[in-house]
Amino acid sequence: MQASPVPGDCVAVLSVREAVSQSTGRFPTYCEPREVGCFSMVGEQPCWVDGAAMLKYLRMPSSPDQLRWDLNRGYETAVRWDLLKGKKIHNLLRWLAYQASNPAAEPGPERPFVQAPPLQQSLLADTDFVCGRGTLARIACTPYDKRNDWRLVACRHRGTIFLCSSLTDAYRQLRLDDKADPERDRPAYWGYKFEQFMAASETSDTDGSSSTAGYIELKTLCPERQAHSFHRFKLLRWWAQSFFAGTPQVICGFRDKQGIVHFVKEFNVREMPRDCKGLWSDAVCLNFTDQVLSFIKRHVNEDNPEEFYVFQYVPSSDKVVCTHLTEPGEFAFMPTWYLEPHDAKQRVSRHGEPSVRLCDKCNVDVALHSDLQ
């Protein structure tokens, strides 16, 4: 696997092997995540809305070990989102811009947990990085993942570094292959269908705190196909995704090759590293993440939202390469509406749809959506 070409000048190189060798110490000091706000993507052509309009609640089956849930229902009519467009952090930036333009926003039905800090600048005053949890999880898994490459784009604005994942050529090809092969496309849908079986729209149990302890992660797994790699790779990814979000529990639907779920099982995120002892270490993952973030922080030193750096990892090279982009082009991701916060209030509406400029090409986390509820 070769690194995707990047137009720019190489600034620095981090040896993954050396960084991992320095990451074998104790588990680092780490504060538990807390929720400071929320937003939702609403509709089949999803638009950004402030608040928890799309929040769902767990609906555990009465007999979790005696199921026959057919995850194929609705597959033929599912609406597919184009994952090849990538998932920039624009939706997160919309939320930050909204905080800057709505300092008097009050809690309500769409904001059931916690009121976000009122001003964008106070929220980011002591923030080193803004990124998605997937970015951190991808970095954390690197010491044990010798198959998947990754690429991050970074810039510094008002003291904070913004990180955005960028699709590599290998990932693009993988998605194209999945799309062309029904046997690979269908399992992607099964995961989203499982969420519909497990989720309800209403509950009477909310505690009003900013803790993330009430959240769960939902997954599906075919034990026949993945038994050999479950503890080494699957639990590692589940742990990383859940840990950085402060999610304490993963609930997995165990299915067969035809997409029928036969039982569900709960996994405690804190216990995953112990269950996988000797295969991977959570301390190594977090210490390595700290080293990579420190590497990024050292080299993204110009406070200019129009100056971008690419950090790229290819397993065969065993290196993270930092490149300063001479012509950012498609890698640029900081929108003008975020850099001009005085105009943000005109661009984002709390209860209605954002302007066309914001939502006509918005990227969302879901890849598939079924109209069968």
Side-chain angles (χ1 to χ4, degrees), residues 348-360:
V348 183
S349 167
R350 182 182 180 193
H351 295 293
E353 295 183 353
S355 66
V356 174
R357 181 176 178 182
L358 291 187
C359 74
D360 59 347

Side-chain angles (χ1 to χ4, degrees), residues 193-224:
K193 190 62 184 178
F194 178 66
E195 293 179 2
Q196 293 183 357
F197 277 104
M198 294 292 295
S201 299
E202 297 180 357
T203 184
S204 58
D205 182 18
T206 57
D207 61 9
S209 74
S210 61
S211 171
T212 61
Y215 290 112
I216 61 165
E217 189 82 25
L218 295 174
K219 301 289 186 181
T220 61
L221 183 74
C222 180
E224 297 178 46

